[in-house]
């Protein structure tokens, strides 16, 4: 009797939370499934301007590329610069505050293409904020929290009361009625995808909530590092942006060689972040440096050789969330799990609707 009351309570929680967040879960899941293969999609659809013919020539220099950018767009401001050292023929990508994107030839610094953020960027914004800014981020974050509760309550409801019914809970009856097949699709596929979906959802919450990061720190017994503070003398004069950025890049590359990807990004409070990624298998090996954007003076540095447990979790989280951690098999698994997640609100709604109609008929 107590067990029945408990399951009924769990069933009601599962139902109403699902109805409340179903549409958001569908959007997050479909956009997430698409973004799993972001690298492959970009390489296939954008190779005509993301790459140039491979040549036996050195890198033209960041100073020349930024100089050409400033000539082309003197009134726009830099937001992000990406350099793919691991692929010498990859174009250097500059994104501006007006969301324009420039691609420059790495060998001669000439413009290859100018455009706007592509549809994959829109997919990412849709995934993280529903294109609704801070309000959308709030909705997405708490919808994922609810989705985690949905997965847990779903597993409780899935668990068969008797061991002899276990096989029935693990298979889809193909020759059954539509109602029964829909019920099995919801329960069985939800069960099989639940572990991957829990990992994906929890790693997503890691991006969204400080409390999740604090929990990771607690379990590892270490504190997430912000980087070692660097005390530097204030410069007597300020160099132009071209010289500042090029000096930062060349000094970092000389002192910490071997990076396969480097990016500059402007953050809040006039802070410039330089991130250098090195070859890795599991936890991302990246050195991150922070500068005063106006002067080019280093503020702090975080090196992967100094990572503790909490830092390793942070470095692994993105690849865990996107399925990249296990390479192509991991991506395929994440893709399929995301499609299942998108189907769950649909099959769940049908179950509820059928039961509702049946109750109305009885009444």
């Amino acid at each position: 009797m107590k067990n029945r009351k408990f399951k009924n309570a769990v069933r009601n929680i599962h139902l109403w939370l699902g109805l409340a967040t179903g549409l958001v879960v569908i959007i997050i899941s479909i956009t997430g499934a698409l973004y799993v293969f972001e690298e492959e999609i970009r390489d296939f659809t954008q190779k005509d301007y993301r790459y140039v013919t491979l040549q036996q020539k050195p890198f033209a220099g960041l100073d020349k590329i930024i100089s050409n950018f400033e000539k082309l767009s003197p009134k726009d401001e830099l937001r992000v610069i990406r350099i793919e050292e691991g692929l010498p023929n990859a174009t250097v990508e500059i994104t501006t505050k007006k969301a324009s994107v420039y691609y420059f030839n790495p060998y001669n610094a000439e413009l290859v293409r100018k455009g706007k953020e592509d549809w994959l960027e829109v997919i990412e914004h849709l995934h993280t904020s529903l294109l609704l800014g801070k309000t959308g981020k709030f909705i997405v974050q708490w919808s994922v929290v609810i989705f985690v509760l949905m997965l847990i309550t779903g597993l409780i409801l899935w668990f068969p009361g008797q061991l002899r019914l276990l096989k029935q809970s693990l298979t889809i009856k193909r020759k059954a009625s539509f109602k029964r097949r829909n019920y099995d699709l919801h329960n069985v596929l939800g069960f099989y995808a639940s572990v991957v979906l829990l990992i994906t959802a929890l790693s997503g919450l890691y991006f969204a909530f400080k409390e999740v990061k604090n929990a990771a720190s607690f379990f590892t017994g270490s504190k997430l590092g912000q980087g070692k503070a660097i005390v530097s003398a204030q410069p007597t004069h300020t160099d132009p942006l071209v010289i500042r950025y090029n000096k930062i890049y060349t000094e970092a590359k000389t002192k910490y060689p071997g990076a396969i990807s480097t990016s500059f990004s402007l953050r809040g409070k006039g802070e410039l972040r330089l991130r250098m990624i090195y070859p890795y298998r599991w936890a991302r090996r990246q050195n991150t440096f922070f500068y005063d954007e106006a002067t080019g003076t280093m503020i702090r540095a975080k090196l992967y050789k100094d990572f503790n447990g909490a830092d390793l979790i942070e470095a692994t989280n993105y690849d865990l969330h996107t399925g990249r951690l296990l390479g192509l098999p991991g991506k395929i698994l994440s893709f399929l799990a995301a499609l299942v997640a998108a189907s769950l609100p649909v099959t769940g709604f049908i179950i509820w609707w059928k039961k509702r109609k049946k109750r109305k008929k009885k009444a």
Side-chain angles (χ1 to χ4, degrees):
M1 189 69 177
K2 286 182 180 180
N3 186 49
R4 186 180 297 175
K5 283 183 177 180
F6 172 71
K7 279 221 168 183
N8 283 337
V10 170
R11 189 173 286 108
N12 284 328
I13 292 169
H14 188 79
L15 169 63
W16 295 111
L17 290 180
L19 291 174
T21 60
L23 182 59
V24 178
V25 168
I26 290 170
I27 293 170
I28 295 171
S29 301
I30 292 173
T31 53
L34 283 170
Y35 211 75
V36 164
F37 291 105
E38 175 239 353
E39 292 175 317
E40 290 80 3
I41 293 170
R42 287 192 193 281
D43 285 344
F44 182 73
T45 62
Q46 303 172 1
K47 60 184 176 183
D48 57 327
Y49 58 86
R50 288 178 65 84
Y51 302 95
V52 297
T53 304
L54 187 63
Q55 300 176 43
Q56 297 301 317
K57 291 181 180 180
F59 181 55
L62 189 58
D63 51 347
K64 290 182 181 178
I65 290 171
I66 296 177
S67 294
N68 284 350
F69 162 75
E70 290 183 333
K71 290 174 187 174
L72 291 165
S73 187
K75 294 182 180 179
D76 208 350
E77 295 181 68
L78 291 167
R79 185 166 62 88
V80 178
I81 303 174
R82 290 190 179 90
I83 306 164
E84 298 292 334
E85 292 95 344
L87 300 166
N89 63 326
T91 51
V92 176
E93 183 181 331
I94 292 180
T95 306
T96 72
K97 288 189 175 180
K98 294 180 181 178
S100 296
V101 186
Y102 296 76
Y103 298 87
F104 290 92
N105 188 310
Y107 300 117
N108 58 23
E110 291 180 0
L111 181 69
V112 175
R113 184 182 187 270
K114 176 191 173 184
K116 291 288 184 181
E117 288 187 336
D118 60 25
W119 66 275
L120 281 166
E121 296 289 342
V122 176
I123 289 292
E124 184 185 13
H125 296 321
L126 194 58
H127 183 72
T128 56
S129 68
L130 305 175
L131 303 178
L132 296 175
K134 288 184 179 179
T135 302
K137 283 186 177 180
F138 178 85
I139 293 169
V140 167
Q141 288 167 1
W142 285 102
S143 293
V144 176
V145 171
I146 290 171
F147 184 64
V148 171
L149 293 174
M150 294 282 296
L151 289 170
I152 294 168
T153 53
L155 284 171
I156 293 169
L157 293 173
W158 169 88
F159 197 82
Q162 299 177 33
L163 195 62
R164 64 185 178 83
L165 299 175
L166 182 61
K167 185 179 178 182
Q168 184 178 310
S169 300
L170 292 170
T171 55
I172 297 170
K173 292 177 179 62
R174 297 179 184 178
K175 294 181 180 180
S177 64
F178 169 78
K179 181 182 175 182
R180 179 67 200 193
R181 285 201 309 273
N182 180 76
Y183 182 83
D184 285 348
L185 284 171
H186 187 79
N187 282 5
V188 178
L189 292 184
F191 168 74
Y192 284 128
S194 59
V195 174
V196 177
L197 291 177
L198 275 170
I199 291 169
T200 304
L202 291 172
S203 58
L205 292 177
Y206 183 92
F207 295 120
F209 294 102
K210 286 182 180 179
E211 291 78 5
V212 180
K213 291 184 179 181
N214 291 338
S217 297
F218 173 78
F219 284 115
T220 59
S222 56
K223 190 176 180 181
L224 188 63
Q226 297 301 311
K228 184 180 179 182
I230 306 295
V231 179
S232 305
Q234 289 298 315
T236 54
H237 70 283
T238 304
D239 293 321
L241 184 144
V242 172
I243 296 174
R244 288 202 312 272
Y245 278 50
N246 190 61
K247 184 180 178 182
I248 289 170
Y249 178 62
T250 51
E251 285 182 354
K253 194 176 176 183
T254 301
K255 193 171 182 180
Y256 302 98
I260 56 172
S261 177
T262 301
S263 65
F264 288 82
S265 57
L266 275 174
R267 295 159 62 83
K269 301 177 182 178
E271 192 174 74
L272 177 69
R273 181 180 68 188
L274 175 69
R275 177 176 285 168
M276 305 178 75
I277 299 176
Y278 297 81
Y280 68 96
R281 184 174 180 184
W282 301 113
R284 182 178 289 185
R285 299 170 70 195
Q286 64 184 32
N287 289 337
T288 310
F289 307 95
F290 301 88
Y291 301 83
D292 181 336
E293 200 276 332
T295 63
T297 305
M298 188 183 292
I299 302 168
R300 64 186 193 278
K302 186 174 180 177
L303 307 180
Y304 69 80
K305 69 179 181 66
D306 299 326
F307 280 2
N308 57 34
D311 293 327
L312 287 171
I313 288 176
E314 182 187 49
T316 309
N317 193 66
Y318 180 78
D319 290 343
L320 185 65
H321 184 67
T322 57
R324 297 181 186 186
L325 193 66
L326 300 177
L328 184 59
K331 287 186 176 186
I332 293 171
L333 200 60
S334 292
F335 175 77
L336 293 174
L339 292 183
V340 170
S343 76
L344 293 176
V346 178
T347 53
F349 178 81
I350 293 170
I351 292 169
W352 170 75
W353 187 256
K354 292 281 187 184
K355 285 183 177 180
R356 184 169 175 268
K357 282 177 73 178
K358 189 177 180 180
R359 280 196 296 268
K360 277 188 176 183
K361 281 182 180 179
K362 284 183 177 180

